[in-house]
């Protein structure tokens, strides 16, 4: 089991309304590990008493087949409860393919981009679009 240090992997950028999660080079091996990580994320977000744009670094992330269902379910739940929008960056195959497959099946925009800078730009666009409506 990998260790997920919430202090170094979860950052809030209040000026941009972004909560950044760093899953880089992390392996989710089973649902228990997924729950531990998402419990930390949910607790920290709840402490802020607000919603955020989520920006998630997937560089080198591995999600084992035993963890995918719980990973997708917990991600969906926190997005519905606490997100103004989500952008994912730098996913490699097969993670990218799995995210795309689930996005098509569950009818959501995966907002996949290649770099952190592109993720920030995408969030700025989302913010502008939401301000217009």
């Amino acid at each position: 089991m990998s260790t997920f240090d919430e202090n170094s992997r979860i950052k809030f950028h209040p000026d941009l309304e972004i909560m950044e999660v760093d899953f880089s080079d992390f392996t989710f091996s089973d649902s228990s590990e997924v729950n531990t990580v998402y419990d930390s994320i949910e607790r920290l977000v709840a402490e802020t008493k607000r919603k955020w744009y989520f920006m998630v670094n997937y560089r080198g992330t591995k999600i084992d087949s035993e963890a995918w269902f719980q990973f997708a379910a917990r991600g969906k739940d926190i997005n519905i409860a606490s997100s103004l929008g989500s952008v994912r960056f730098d996913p490699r195959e097969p993670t990218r393919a799995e995210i795309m497959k689930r996005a098509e099946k569950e009818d959501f925009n995966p907002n996949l981009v290649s770099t952190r800078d592109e993720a920030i730009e995408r969030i700025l666009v989302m913010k502008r679009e939401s301000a217009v409506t």
Side-chain angles (χ1 to χ4, degrees), residues 51-102:
K51 291 189 175 194
W52 298 88
Y53 288 94
F54 293 170
M55 184 170 70
V56 185
N57 180 351
Y58 278 94
R59 183 184 49 79
T61 303
K62 184 171 186 241
I63 305 166
D64 291 343
S65 58
E66 298 81 16
W68 258 114
F69 178 83
Q70 192 67 4
F71 184 85
R74 291 296 299 266
K76 181 178 180 178
D77 289 348
I78 195 170
N79 269 289
I80 290 169
S82 303
S83 174
L84 298 168
S86 294
V87 178
R88 298 152 185 89
F89 69 95
D90 203 11
R92 302 288 192 243
E93 297 297 338
T95 302
R96 174 182 280 279
E98 186 67 26
I99 291 170
M100 294 298 292
K101 181 176 86 173
R102 289 174 185 270

Side-chain angles (χ1 to χ4, degrees), residues 28-76:
F28 290 92
S29 56
D30 57 32
S31 60
S32 173
E33 192 160 38
V34 169
N35 288 333
T36 298
V37 170
Y38 272 93
D39 287 350
S40 293
I41 296 168
E42 287 176 353
R43 179 180 46 76
L44 291 172
V45 168
E47 287 173 2
T48 70
K49 297 179 172 54
R50 60 176 286 190
K51 291 189 175 194
W52 298 88
Y53 288 94
F54 293 170
M55 184 170 70
V56 185
N57 180 351
Y58 278 94
R59 183 184 49 79
T61 303
K62 184 171 186 241
I63 305 166
D64 291 343
S65 58
E66 298 81 16
W68 258 114
F69 178 83
Q70 192 67 4
F71 184 85
R74 291 296 299 266
K76 181 178 180 178

